[in-house]
Every structure is written in C-alpha cells, then in structure tokens.
Amino acid sequence: MSKTWRPATQLVHGGTLRSQYGETSEAIYLTQGFVYETSEAAEARFKGETEGFIYARYGSPTNDMFEKRMCMLEGAEDARATASGMAAVTAAILCQLKAGDHIVAARALFGSCRWVVETLAPKYGIDCTLIDGRDLASWEKAITPKTKVFFLESPTNPTLEVIDIAGVAKLANQIGAKVVVDNVFATPLFQKPLELGAHIVVYSATKHIDGQGRCLGGVVLSDKEWIDENLHDYFRHTGPAMSPFNAWTLLKGIETLPLRVRQQTENAAKIADFLAEQGKVAKVIYPGRKDHPQADIIAKQMTGGSTLVAFEMKGGKDAAFALQNALEIIKISNNLGDSKSLITHPATTTHKNLTEEARVELGISPGTVRLSAGIEDTDDLIEDFAKALAKVSA
C-alpha cells in the first residue's frame, strides 16, 4: 500500500487482505479460534516466532484490516480495535498507569470519560486533577512528580471548545508524560493529533467512522513501542476486543467517510450561520466561524470545521425542548456523526450525571443544544429549523 495515497484512496483500499477467492469486498472472519497444521506450529505462534492469529480476542483478519486502515489515515504505527469508544478510552488511560500515578485532564469531557478519570481511576489509587484545558498555564500548574498522563478531547463535547494540542504535548514531553487525545469531534480528516505532538489517539468508531447508526466500536492508535509495552497485554487479558462483524461493518463505513464528513460539515457550517441570526438563539459555537473563542488555535491545528454545532436557546430548557420537539427531519438522539441529523439536550442526556455546578463550569446551560449535522439537503435542514423556531415561545 502506497504511503502517498490520499485519505479518500486509503479509506477504500488501505489494509485490505484477500482470501484465495479474490473477493472484492473484505471478508468477515467470524471465528473464535484458528487451526494450526502441527503442534510445533502452534507452539511457534504462541512464542511469537511466527506470525499469525491465535484467538479472536487477540485479533482476527477482519479486525486487522480495520486497524491497518485506521493507521494509514491517522499516520500511526499501530492500533487496537475495541468493542466501543469508551473501551478505547479506558484502555488507553488505564493500561499505562498504576497506583500512585496522576492524570491531568481537561474538565470539558464527555460524561463517561469524566467518570473514568474522576471516579474509576481513583478507585485504583490513581489521582486525577481536572483543569480548564483551554489554559496552558492550568496544565502546567496541575503537574506533580507523579503525573503520567494528560487527557483531553478537542473540540470538546458538547460546547466545542478547542485545546492547543501542540502546547499541551510540549508540556507533557518536558516531564515524560503521555498525551491522550479523544479526536472524535474533529474526525481524523480535520485534525491529526499525532502530528501535533500527542502520543495516543482514541476514537469512538461508533460515530463518524460507522456513520450510519449500526454498530459500536472504538480504536486506540499510537506508535508500536507504546502499544507493545502498554496496551498489548492489557488488551489480550482484559478482553475489550471488537467483534469481527463490527470491524467489517466499520470497514464499509470508513470507505465513505470523506464524502459524508464533507457534506455534514457543509451542513453544520450553514446551519450555524443561520442560527446565529435568529433572535431566539442566545449564542452559537462552531469551529468554522470567526467568532469561535479559540479561532486562532483552530487555524493552526484543524483543516476543517466540525459536523457538530452547539447553540444556546434564550428560553432555557423549555425553549430547547420546544425546539427539539418541533423538528421534523432532525431526530432527537444522543448519538452523533450519523448520516441522519441528530439533536440532543446535553444537560438532560449526555451530561446529566454531572452536578449542576460542573455543567455551569463547562458552559452547559439549561438552554444548551448540540446538533450533529447529517447528509440531508442543506435547505431542508434549515427550513426544518426555521419552522421549529417559529413554534418556540419568544
């Protein structure tokens, strides 16, 4: 496979393995185990003296194709596909830590990600400090002699804050810590954390990579040395592996990733501009707009906007609910990255378990709404919003 291929070509052909039958579409290897020609061959494979698959929990041909294709797109040396995005996040963080270690994490995280670093990790003696990720001085101030991991997502869920990944990576390198970036909202097409200095990238493949609401999946990407020394044994023995069927489904989804994300981003940008002009909308946050609070950082580290739009209704929760309930094309769902446009109210769904104080700290108000733009006709989506807004009491 040529390293000079551009993303659209990589995502159709990268990592493809073919059986003796020469199939066009990748094969699904729905098998738990593998057969060895001799006992000696089995022994050699378990010793690592010969290449090959051992058990589907460790890897399979279908999963291998998905991992290789993601590596080509991300510019990573190695990857492991997991059963869900949260399995990827949890594995990436815990596999490299022990009791007494310390995590510094941006406080603007998806609710389950915050639970992993704020609640789960401390149960195993791993301390965590949550900081304002937008402020590099806060990262530096939070460092202790035990700090081993910096964790962030950028843009953030749901308020689309953007964090200076290169700046955070520079601080981490000074103390030998690893930077883990959840890159879901940017997609691997618009932001390359590894090129910016991050060490590990995680995705919920459930989102844009599948993009059609069909299956769960996740992936952890890094250099081969880090995966061999940290993730490899954790992955083999704790069992977060992706199923081969889901890997095959994601391979099919990833082929059309550039086409879908391009249309989703175009839709999101135009909807953001439309909403910014509406009197019932207090504010709009979108990485493609000049009025984004971190527009200068976006210009440095992102090559596109986002498929997500965050906005705040002036009438609070009642207005947000009224708007969502009046939409016809756009569906209410806490998922994102789908071909269908989806909308959710973070304070009562994805970030419900945070305290009110924590939500206020993150900028999630009762009127905050998150839109995941789909691939529908742009004018239809804007008309849908216009009709729904007309039904919201001023």
Side-chain angles (χ1 to χ4, degrees):
M1 297 298 174
S2 174
K3 292 183 178 180
T4 64
W5 286 351
R6 293 166 180 84
T9 306
Q10 291 175 344
L11 297 181
V12 174
H13 297 286
T16 300
L17 300 171
R18 287 192 172 89
S19 74
Q20 68 272 31
Y21 300 109
E23 61 277 351
T24 302
S25 179
E26 298 84 357
I28 311 175
Y29 291 87
L30 287 178
T31 182
Q32 298 162 328
F34 301 86
V35 174
Y36 315 97
E37 292 186 2
T38 65
S39 299
E40 289 78 8
E43 181 183 31
R45 195 171 300 179
F46 270 78
K47 284 182 175 180
E49 295 173 351
T50 60
E51 292 186 358
F53 299 100
I54 294 174
Y55 190 56
R57 176 157 54 84
Y58 304 166
S60 76
T62 314
N63 292 39
D64 189 59
M65 283 188 276
F66 173 66
E67 291 165 354
K68 282 185 168 58
R69 196 167 293 182
M70 283 299 303
C71 283
M72 289 185 72
L73 177 61
E74 194 66 39
E77 292 180 356
D78 205 358
R80 293 292 184 273
T82 60
S84 69
M86 284 312 307
V89 168
T90 306
I93 292 172
L94 294 186
C95 76
Q96 58 182 317
L97 296 174
K98 64 184 185 304
D101 288 342
H102 177 239
I103 303 167
V104 181
R107 67 191 181 199
L109 295 172
F110 173 57
S112 293
C113 292
R114 273 192 62 146
W115 184 87
V116 169
V117 298
E118 195 175 23
T119 303
L120 180 64
K123 291 183 178 181
Y124 297 96
I126 301 164
D127 293 327
C128 174
T129 301
L130 293 173
I131 52 97
D132 182 348
R134 299 167 297 180
D135 179 21
L136 286 178
S138 294
W139 290 95
E140 187 170 16
K141 184 179 179 181
I143 293 171
T144 77
K146 298 289 188 178
T147 302
K148 301 299 182 184
V149 168
F150 286 178
F151 177 49
L152 62 98
E153 58 185 47
S154 183
T156 62
N157 183 2
T159 53
L160 298 169
E161 295 176 0
V162 174
I163 295 172
D164 184 349
I165 296 172
V168 174
K170 183 178 179 180
L171 289 173
N173 287 335
Q174 290 173 0
I175 62 167
K178 298 296 185 183
V179 178
V180 180
V181 176
D182 181 339
N183 201 43
V184 167
F185 272 37
T187 81
L189 298 173
F190 291 158
Q191 185 169 263
K192 302 289 188 183
L194 297 179
E195 293 180 5
L196 294 167
H199 306 94
I200 301 105
V201 182
V202 295
Y203 288 98
S204 171
T206 309
K207 311 302 190 292
H208 301 92
I209 293 168
D210 172 37
Q212 290 151 86
R214 298 170 299 189
C215 69
L216 299 175
V219 62
V220 183
L221 302 107
S222 186
D223 61 83
K224 191 174 188 305
E225 181 181 0
W226 182 87
I227 286 183
D228 285 347
E229 292 182 0
N230 297 277
L231 183 59
H232 181 72
D233 285 342
Y234 177 99
F235 186 87
R236 285 171 65 110
H237 300 301
T238 64
M242 177 184 290
S243 80
F245 182 83
N246 285 15
W248 180 85
T249 304
L250 292 166
L251 280 166
K252 297 294 94 184
I254 205 172
E255 290 180 354
T256 61
L257 180 67
L259 302 175
R260 288 183 285 103
V261 168
R262 186 183 308 131
Q263 183 63 39
Q264 289 169 314
T265 304
E266 181 180 323
N267 283 347
K270 291 181 177 179
I271 291 169
D273 289 342
F274 168 79
L275 290 172
E277 297 174 354
Q278 306 308 304
K280 296 174 183 177
V281 176
K283 67 176 179 179
V284 173
I285 304 175
Y286 181 68
R289 286 178 57 85
K290 293 180 180 179
D291 59 359
H292 190 284
Q294 293 88 45
D296 57 334
I297 299 173
I298 292 167
K300 289 193 305 181
Q301 70 184 35
M302 294 179 68
T303 58
S306 178
T307 66
L308 284 298
V309 180
F311 61 98
E312 184 177 342
M313 295 296 293
K314 287 183 177 178
K317 176 182 174 181
D318 289 344
F321 274 30
L323 172 71
Q324 292 188 165
N325 292 341
L327 292 165
E328 181 180 352
I329 298 171
I330 302 164
K331 306 304 180 187
I332 301 171
S333 175
N334 52 288
N335 197 22
L336 62 94
D338 200 285
S339 296
K340 301 176 181 67
S341 291
L342 305 174
I343 198 164
T344 194
H345 182 251
T348 56
T349 59
T350 57
H351 292 69
K352 176 185 71 67
N353 291 330
L354 297 182
T355 64
E356 184 176 354
E357 181 183 5
R359 287 195 294 269
V360 169
E361 191 177 51
L362 296 178
I364 303 171
S365 74
T368 299
V369 177
R370 188 194 73 193
L371 169 73
S372 172
I375 63 173
E376 302 95 341
D377 184 274
T378 313
D379 291 337
D380 283 339
L381 294 175
I382 290 175
E383 288 174 11
D384 198 24
F385 265 113
K387 291 175 183 177
L389 282 165
K391 297 178 181 179
V392 178
S393 300

mmCIF file of all heavy atoms in Angstrom, residues 271-308:
data_model
loop_
_atom_site.group_PDB
_atom_site.id
_atom_site.type_symbol
_atom_site.label_atom_id
_atom_site.label_comp_id
_atom_site.label_asym_id
_atom_site.label_seq_id
_atom_site.Cartn_x
_atom_site.Cartn_y
_atom_site.Cartn_z
ATOM 1 N N ILE A 271 -25.896 25.809 8.873
ATOM 2 C CA ILE A 271 -26.885 25.859 9.956
ATOM 3 C C ILE A 271 -26.394 26.772 11.069
ATOM 4 O O ILE A 271 -27.172 27.544 11.642
ATOM 5 C CB ILE A 271 -27.171 24.435 10.486
ATOM 6 C CG1 ILE A 271 -27.913 23.623 9.426
ATOM 7 C CG2 ILE A 271 -27.974 24.488 11.781
ATOM 8 C CD1 ILE A 271 -28.000 22.138 9.735
ATOM 9 N N ALA A 272 -25.091 26.701 11.388
ATOM 10 C CA ALA A 272 -24.526 27.570 12.423
ATOM 11 C C ALA A 272 -24.728 29.040 12.055
ATOM 12 O O ALA A 272 -25.116 29.860 12.897
ATOM 13 C CB ALA A 272 -23.047 27.265 12.613
ATOM 14 N N ASP A 273 -24.469 29.385 10.801
ATOM 15 C CA ASP A 273 -24.660 30.767 10.355
ATOM 16 C C ASP A 273 -26.127 31.176 10.435
ATOM 17 O O ASP A 273 -26.451 32.301 10.828
ATOM 18 C CB ASP A 273 -24.148 30.936 8.924
ATOM 19 C CG ASP A 273 -22.621 30.869 8.833
ATOM 20 O OD1 ASP A 273 -21.960 31.033 9.881
ATOM 21 O OD2 ASP A 273 -22.109 30.649 7.724
ATOM 22 N N PHE A 274 -27.021 30.257 10.070
ATOM 23 C CA PHE A 274 -28.460 30.547 10.140
ATOM 24 C C PHE A 274 -28.888 30.782 11.585
ATOM 25 O O PHE A 274 -29.572 31.763 11.901
ATOM 26 C CB PHE A 274 -29.251 29.387 9.541
ATOM 27 C CG PHE A 274 -30.728 29.448 9.809
ATOM 28 C CD1 PHE A 274 -31.565 30.289 9.076
ATOM 29 C CD2 PHE A 274 -31.298 28.679 10.828
ATOM 30 C CE1 PHE A 274 -32.928 30.356 9.339
ATOM 31 C CE2 PHE A 274 -32.647 28.740 11.095
ATOM 32 C CZ PHE A 274 -33.470 29.580 10.350
ATOM 33 N N LEU A 275 -28.485 29.902 12.483
ATOM 34 C CA LEU A 275 -28.896 30.011 13.886
ATOM 35 C C LEU A 275 -28.347 31.286 14.530
ATOM 36 O O LEU A 275 -28.996 31.881 15.395
ATOM 37 C CB LEU A 275 -28.410 28.790 14.667
ATOM 38 C CG LEU A 275 -29.104 27.464 14.334
ATOM 39 C CD1 LEU A 275 -28.401 26.304 15.035
ATOM 40 C CD2 LEU A 275 -30.581 27.491 14.724
ATOM 41 N N ALA A 276 -27.155 31.687 14.118
ATOM 42 C CA ALA A 276 -26.545 32.887 14.698
ATOM 43 C C ALA A 276 -27.369 34.141 14.419
ATOM 44 O O ALA A 276 -27.224 35.151 15.114
ATOM 45 C CB ALA A 276 -25.132 33.058 14.161
ATOM 46 N N GLU A 277 -28.225 34.086 13.427
ATOM 47 C CA GLU A 277 -29.042 35.248 13.056
ATOM 48 C C GLU A 277 -30.439 35.211 13.674
ATOM 49 O O GLU A 277 -31.240 36.124 13.450
ATOM 50 C CB GLU A 277 -29.171 35.316 11.533
ATOM 51 C CG GLU A 277 -27.832 35.524 10.815
ATOM 52 C CD GLU A 277 -27.967 35.447 9.304
ATOM 53 O OE1 GLU A 277 -29.091 35.117 8.830
ATOM 54 O OE2 GLU A 277 -26.971 35.712 8.601
ATOM 55 N N GLN A 278 -30.745 34.174 14.438
ATOM 56 C CA GLN A 278 -32.091 34.014 14.979
ATOM 57 C C GLN A 278 -32.218 34.660 16.364
ATOM 58 O O GLN A 278 -31.378 34.436 17.244
ATOM 59 C CB GLN A 278 -32.457 32.520 15.062
ATOM 60 C CG GLN A 278 -32.295 31.781 13.737
ATOM 61 C CD GLN A 278 -33.010 32.468 12.597
ATOM 62 O OE1 GLN A 278 -34.225 32.708 12.655
ATOM 63 N NE2 GLN A 278 -32.282 32.776 11.538
ATOM 64 N N GLY A 279 -33.268 35.427 16.545
ATOM 65 C CA GLY A 279 -33.472 36.153 17.795
ATOM 66 C C GLY A 279 -33.698 35.281 19.005
ATOM 67 O O GLY A 279 -33.452 35.714 20.142
ATOM 68 N N LYS A 280 -34.159 34.047 18.827
ATOM 69 C CA LYS A 280 -34.429 33.162 19.944
ATOM 70 C C LYS A 280 -33.198 32.353 20.367
ATOM 71 O O LYS A 280 -33.251 31.570 21.315
ATOM 72 C CB LYS A 280 -35.578 32.215 19.599
ATOM 73 C CG LYS A 280 -36.904 32.951 19.370
ATOM 74 C CD LYS A 280 -37.997 32.021 18.880
ATOM 75 C CE LYS A 280 -39.277 32.800 18.585
ATOM 76 N NZ LYS A 280 -40.355 31.949 18.038
ATOM 77 N N VAL A 281 -32.111 32.544 19.634
ATOM 78 C CA VAL A 281 -30.852 31.851 19.931
ATOM 79 C C VAL A 281 -29.892 32.838 20.576
ATOM 80 O O VAL A 281 -29.588 33.892 20.009
ATOM 81 C CB VAL A 281 -30.230 31.256 18.647
ATOM 82 C CG1 VAL A 281 -28.875 30.616 18.953
ATOM 83 C CG2 VAL A 281 -31.181 30.231 18.027
ATOM 84 N N ALA A 282 -29.414 32.498 21.776
ATOM 85 C CA ALA A 282 -28.528 33.408 22.518
ATOM 86 C C ALA A 282 -27.124 33.428 21.946
ATOM 87 O O ALA A 282 -26.502 34.486 21.847
ATOM 88 C CB ALA A 282 -28.491 33.001 23.988
ATOM 89 N N LYS A 283 -26.595 32.250 21.596
ATOM 90 C CA LYS A 283 -25.252 32.189 21.016
ATOM 91 C C LYS A 283 -25.059 30.885 20.263
ATOM 92 O O LYS A 283 -25.766 29.898 20.506
ATOM 93 C CB LYS A 283 -24.177 32.346 22.090
ATOM 94 C CG LYS A 283 -24.092 31.198 23.072
ATOM 95 C CD LYS A 283 -22.914 31.415 24.050
ATOM 96 C CE LYS A 283 -22.834 30.280 25.068
ATOM 97 N NZ LYS A 283 -21.707 30.460 26.002
ATOM 98 N N VAL A 284 -24.098 30.913 19.360
ATOM 99 C CA VAL A 284 -23.744 29.739 18.561
ATOM 100 C C VAL A 284 -22.242 29.526 18.667
ATOM 101 O O VAL A 284 -21.464 30.488 18.589
ATOM 102 C CB VAL A 284 -24.142 29.928 17.074
ATOM 103 C CG1 VAL A 284 -23.618 28.775 16.226
ATOM 104 C CG2 VAL A 284 -25.648 30.042 16.929
ATOM 105 N N ILE A 285 -21.838 28.269 18.873
ATOM 106 C CA ILE A 285 -20.412 27.943 18.896
ATOM 107 C C ILE A 285 -20.137 26.918 17.795
ATOM 108 O O ILE A 285 -20.694 25.814 17.807
ATOM 109 C CB ILE A 285 -19.969 27.375 20.258
ATOM 110 C CG1 ILE A 285 -20.323 28.352 21.385
ATOM 111 C CG2 ILE A 285 -18.468 27.103 20.258
ATOM 112 C CD1 ILE A 285 -20.027 27.819 22.763
ATOM 113 N N TYR A 286 -19.295 27.310 16.853
ATOM 114 C CA TYR A 286 -18.948 26.402 15.749
ATOM 115 C C TYR A 286 -17.498 26.656 15.342
ATOM 116 O O TYR A 286 -17.106 27.808 15.111
ATOM 117 C CB TYR A 286 -19.873 26.613 14.549
ATOM 118 C CG TYR A 286 -19.556 25.681 13.417
ATOM 119 C CD1 TYR A 286 -19.788 24.306 13.547
ATOM 120 C CD2 TYR A 286 -18.968 26.150 12.246
ATOM 121 C CE1 TYR A 286 -19.457 23.430 12.524
ATOM 122 C CE2 TYR A 286 -18.639 25.274 11.218
ATOM 123 C CZ TYR A 286 -18.880 23.921 11.363
ATOM 124 O OH TYR A 286 -18.547 23.036 10.358
ATOM 125 N N PRO A 287 -16.672 25.611 15.248
ATOM 126 C CA PRO A 287 -15.248 25.799 14.954
ATOM 127 C C PRO A 287 -14.951 26.446 13.609
ATOM 128 O O PRO A 287 -13.830 26.906 13.392
ATOM 129 C CB PRO A 287 -14.699 24.362 15.005
ATOM 130 C CG PRO A 287 -15.630 23.641 15.911
ATOM 131 C CD PRO A 287 -16.982 24.218 15.632
ATOM 132 N N GLY A 288 -15.899 26.490 12.716
ATOM 133 C CA GLY A 288 -15.661 27.110 11.417
ATOM 134 C C GLY A 288 -15.973 28.593 11.372
ATOM 135 O O GLY A 288 -15.731 29.256 10.350
ATOM 136 N N ARG A 289 -16.500 29.153 12.461
ATOM 137 C CA ARG A 289 -16.875 30.568 12.486
ATOM 138 C C ARG A 289 -15.746 31.429 13.070
ATOM 139 O O ARG A 289 -15.029 30.993 13.969
ATOM 140 C CB ARG A 289 -18.154 30.758 13.312
ATOM 141 C CG ARG A 289 -19.411 30.288 12.603
ATOM 142 C CD ARG A 289 -20.647 30.445 13.489
ATOM 143 N NE ARG A 289 -20.849 31.807 13.938
ATOM 144 C CZ ARG A 289 -21.493 32.754 13.248
ATOM 145 N NH1 ARG A 289 -22.003 32.472 12.057
ATOM 146 N NH2 ARG A 289 -21.641 33.972 13.744
ATOM 147 N N LYS A 290 -15.637 32.653 12.570
ATOM 148 C CA LYS A 290 -14.584 33.558 13.027
ATOM 149 C C LYS A 290 -14.782 33.978 14.472
ATOM 150 O O LYS A 290 -13.825 34.404 15.130
ATOM 151 C CB LYS A 290 -14.531 34.785 12.120
ATOM 152 C CG LYS A 290 -14.065 34.474 10.696
ATOM 153 C CD LYS A 290 -14.026 35.731 9.853
ATOM 154 C CE LYS A 290 -13.559 35.416 8.432
ATOM 155 N NZ LYS A 290 -13.531 36.634 7.577
ATOM 156 N N ASP A 291 -16.040 33.889 14.966
ATOM 157 C CA ASP A 291 -16.290 34.312 16.346
ATOM 158 C C ASP A 291 -16.091 33.199 17.357
ATOM 159 O O ASP A 291 -16.413 33.350 18.536
ATOM 160 C CB ASP A 291 -17.710 34.882 16.477
ATOM 161 C CG ASP A 291 -18.809 33.889 16.092
ATOM 162 O OD1 ASP A 291 -18.482 32.745 15.706
ATOM 163 O OD2 ASP A 291 -19.994 34.261 16.160
ATOM 164 N N HIS A 292 -15.541 32.052 16.933
ATOM 165 C CA HIS A 292 -15.242 30.988 17.888
ATOM 166 C C HIS A 292 -14.165 31.479 18.850
ATOM 167 O O HIS A 292 -13.170 32.091 18.428
ATOM 168 C CB HIS A 292 -14.768 29.724 17.174
ATOM 169 C CG HIS A 292 -14.666 28.532 18.073
ATOM 170 N ND1 HIS A 292 -13.627 28.367 18.969
ATOM 171 C CD2 HIS A 292 -15.474 27.450 18.233
ATOM 172 C CE1 HIS A 292 -13.796 27.235 19.629
ATOM 173 N NE2 HIS A 292 -14.911 26.665 19.201
ATOM 174 N N PRO A 293 -14.307 31.224 20.158
ATOM 175 C CA PRO A 293 -13.344 31.738 21.150
ATOM 176 C C PRO A 293 -11.895 31.309 20.915
ATOM 177 O O PRO A 293 -10.976 32.024 21.302
ATOM 178 C CB PRO A 293 -13.873 31.169 22.474
ATOM 179 C CG PRO A 293 -15.323 30.939 22.237
ATOM 180 C CD PRO A 293 -15.434 30.532 20.803
ATOM 181 N N GLN A 294 -11.679 30.156 20.290
ATOM 182 C CA GLN A 294 -10.304 29.702 20.025
ATOM 183 C C GLN A 294 -10.011 29.656 18.515
ATOM 184 O O GLN A 294 -9.335 28.749 18.027
ATOM 185 C CB GLN A 294 -10.054 28.324 20.640
ATOM 186 C CG GLN A 294 -10.056 28.289 22.159
ATOM 187 C CD GLN A 294 -11.429 28.064 22.732
ATOM 188 O OE1 GLN A 294 -12.185 27.216 22.269
ATOM 189 N NE2 GLN A 294 -11.778 28.833 23.751
ATOM 190 N N ALA A 295 -10.501 30.638 17.790
ATOM 191 C CA ALA A 295 -10.340 30.658 16.330
ATOM 192 C C ALA A 295 -8.877 30.602 15.916
ATOM 193 O O ALA A 295 -8.528 29.991 14.896
ATOM 194 C CB ALA A 295 -11.020 31.895 15.745
ATOM 195 N N ASP A 296 -7.990 31.220 16.692
ATOM 196 C CA ASP A 296 -6.571 31.222 16.341
ATOM 197 C C ASP A 296 -5.966 29.835 16.441
ATOM 198 O O ASP A 296 -5.146 29.438 15.597
ATOM 199 C CB ASP A 296 -5.809 32.211 17.229
ATOM 200 C CG ASP A 296 -5.966 31.933 18.717
ATOM 201 O OD1 ASP A 296 -7.000 31.341 19.117
ATOM 202 O OD2 ASP A 296 -5.061 32.303 19.497
ATOM 203 N N ILE A 297 -6.366 29.075 17.465
ATOM 204 C CA ILE A 297 -5.849 27.703 17.605
ATOM 205 C C ILE A 297 -6.420 26.807 16.509
ATOM 206 O O ILE A 297 -5.717 25.960 15.946
ATOM 207 C CB ILE A 297 -6.188 27.141 19.003
ATOM 208 C CG1 ILE A 297 -5.530 27.997 20.081
ATOM 209 C CG2 ILE A 297 -5.725 25.687 19.127
ATOM 210 C CD1 ILE A 297 -5.927 27.628 21.486
ATOM 211 N N ILE A 298 -7.699 26.985 16.212
ATOM 212 C CA ILE A 298 -8.339 26.203 15.147
ATOM 213 C C ILE A 298 -7.587 26.387 13.839
ATOM 214 O O ILE A 298 -7.336 25.416 13.102
ATOM 215 C CB ILE A 298 -9.816 26.619 14.989
ATOM 216 C CG1 ILE A 298 -10.609 26.197 16.227
ATOM 217 C CG2 ILE A 298 -10.430 26.017 13.725
ATOM 218 C CD1 ILE A 298 -11.982 26.814 16.322
ATOM 219 N N ALA A 299 -7.190 27.615 13.539
ATOM 220 C CA ALA A 299 -6.466 27.891 12.302
ATOM 221 C C ALA A 299 -5.135 27.156 12.252
ATOM 222 O O ALA A 299 -4.657 26.776 11.173
ATOM 223 C CB ALA A 299 -6.245 29.394 12.162
ATOM 224 N N LYS A 300 -4.526 26.916 13.417
ATOM 225 C CA LYS A 300 -3.228 26.241 13.488
ATOM 226 C C LYS A 300 -3.338 24.729 13.394
ATOM 227 O O LYS A 300 -2.462 24.081 12.824
ATOM 228 C CB LYS A 300 -2.511 26.599 14.806
ATOM 229 C CG LYS A 300 -1.997 28.013 14.905
ATOM 230 C CD LYS A 300 -1.052 28.174 16.091
ATOM 231 C CE LYS A 300 -1.680 27.739 17.407
ATOM 232 N NZ LYS A 300 -0.759 27.925 18.560
ATOM 233 N N GLN A 301 -4.392 24.132 13.991
ATOM 234 C CA GLN A 301 -4.363 22.682 14.147
ATOM 235 C C GLN A 301 -5.505 21.926 13.455
ATOM 236 O O GLN A 301 -5.477 20.701 13.425
ATOM 237 C CB GLN A 301 -4.322 22.307 15.623
ATOM 238 C CG GLN A 301 -5.585 22.571 16.426
ATOM 239 C CD GLN A 301 -5.401 22.242 17.900
ATOM 240 O OE1 GLN A 301 -4.336 22.437 18.476
ATOM 241 N NE2 GLN A 301 -6.433 21.723 18.526
ATOM 242 N N MET A 302 -6.472 22.617 12.882
ATOM 243 C CA MET A 302 -7.566 21.937 12.197
ATOM 244 C C MET A 302 -7.644 22.384 10.747
ATOM 245 O O MET A 302 -7.429 23.553 10.435
ATOM 246 C CB MET A 302 -8.898 22.214 12.907
ATOM 247 C CG MET A 302 -8.994 21.638 14.302
ATOM 248 S SD MET A 302 -10.576 21.992 15.136
ATOM 249 C CE MET A 302 -11.707 20.988 14.139
ATOM 250 N N THR A 303 -7.969 21.450 9.867
ATOM 251 C CA THR A 303 -8.080 21.765 8.438
ATOM 252 C C THR A 303 -9.532 21.893 7.994
ATOM 253 O O THR A 303 -9.801 22.102 6.820
ATOM 254 C CB THR A 303 -7.388 20.678 7.597
ATOM 255 O OG1 THR A 303 -7.986 19.405 7.883
ATOM 256 C CG2 THR A 303 -5.907 20.626 7.894
ATOM 257 N N GLY A 304 -10.448 21.751 8.924
ATOM 258 C CA GLY A 304 -11.866 21.906 8.628
ATOM 259 C C GLY A 304 -12.599 22.250 9.902
ATOM 260 O O GLY A 304 -12.004 22.294 10.983
ATOM 261 N N GLY A 305 -13.891 22.497 9.795
ATOM 262 C CA GLY A 305 -14.685 22.857 10.962
ATOM 263 C C GLY A 305 -15.076 21.644 11.774
ATOM 264 O O GLY A 305 -14.238 20.985 12.389
ATOM 265 N N SER A 306 -16.353 21.311 11.763
ATOM 266 C CA SER A 306 -16.842 20.152 12.503
ATOM 267 C C SER A 306 -18.214 19.807 11.957
ATOM 268 O O SER A 306 -18.850 20.616 11.281
ATOM 269 C CB SER A 306 -16.940 20.464 14.004
ATOM 270 O OG SER A 306 -17.465 19.347 14.718
ATOM 271 N N THR A 307 -18.641 18.598 12.237
ATOM 272 C CA THR A 307 -20.005 18.197 11.882
ATOM 273 C C THR A 307 -20.980 18.556 13.000
ATOM 274 O O THR A 307 -22.170 18.343 12.876
ATOM 275 C CB THR A 307 -20.073 16.683 11.621
ATOM 276 O OG1 THR A 307 -19.817 15.976 12.844
ATOM 277 C CG2 THR A 307 -19.050 16.258 10.575
ATOM 278 N N LEU A 308 -20.432 19.108 14.119
ATOM 279 C CA LEU A 308 -21.229 19.439 15.302
ATOM 280 C C LEU A 308 -21.407 20.945 15.452
ATOM 281 O O LEU A 308 -20.502 21.719 15.135
ATOM 282 C CB LEU A 308 -20.569 18.896 16.572
ATOM 283 C CG LEU A 308 -20.653 17.401 16.908
ATOM 284 C CD1 LEU A 308 -22.095 16.969 17.118
ATOM 285 C CD2 LEU A 308 -19.972 16.543 15.867
#
